[in-house]
Amino acid sequence: MEPDSLPTELILTHPRQSLGKIQLDWKPQPGNYLDFEGKTYAVLERRHRYQLKSGRYRLNNIALYVQSAQRPAEKSLVAGRWVVGDATCRYNAHSEIIRCAVKPDGPCECCHFYESIN
């Protein structure tokens, strides 16, 4: 095992089932996307699992709770993080997972609900 990689279990949220275990050399955050066995998944939650060894707790593995998703074509950079959709719209959720309350599936282009924040 490489020093920066941890065993990571992918768990599908609905229906709840384990998709398998993989080694990752990065630590996906909720809102990130990852590809596994030809499918794309959105990370919803990350849980760390620790093990007590020699009187110290050490990170043993990570569980990622995911759902099947498509990578969004529209993204905006807001305060150093990527959000889905056009962040200049008043209705944008400023989230990595959901675009907005009015038209969550998008696209933002030509949306008749668009209102500029400015």
Side-chain angles (χ1 to χ4, degrees):
M1 179 167 65
E2 296 173 22
D4 291 335
S5 68
L6 283 171
T8 304
E9 182 178 10
L10 296 180
I11 301 169
L12 189 64
T13 56
H14 187 68
R16 179 155 285 173
Q17 67 182 37
S18 177
L19 297 174
K21 294 183 180 185
I22 58 174
Q23 295 288 124
L24 294 177
D25 59 354
W26 62 293
K27 296 176 179 79
Q29 300 292 325
N32 290 145
Y33 293 86
L34 64 93
D35 297 320
F36 181 70
E37 294 182 351
K39 294 185 180 177
T40 301
Y41 297 95
V43 177
L44 302 177
E45 184 178 345
R46 183 178 81 183
R47 292 185 186 172
H48 295 176
R49 296 180 177 158
Y50 294 88
Q51 185 176 30
L52 183 63
K53 277 189 176 179
S54 303
R56 298 181 69 187
Y57 282 102
R58 294 187 180 201
L59 184 58
N60 188 46
N61 63 33
I62 297 173
L64 294 178
Y65 291 83
V66 299
Q67 73 179 19
S68 184
Q70 292 182 347
R71 290 182 191 269
E74 300 172 300
K75 292 188 204 175
S76 301
L77 188 62
V78 176
R81 63 187 179 94
W82 288 100
V83 299
V84 179
D86 184 351
T88 64
C89 179
R90 175 179 311 280
Y91 299 110
N92 186 280
H94 291 234
S95 166
E96 299 93 344
I97 299 172
I98 188 166
R99 180 184 319 269
C100 72
V102 190
K103 197 174 178 185
D105 294 331
C108 294
E109 183 180 321
C110 303
C111 176
H112 64 278
F113 295 107
Y114 176 85
E115 285 184 32
S116 178
I117 293 174
N118 301 330

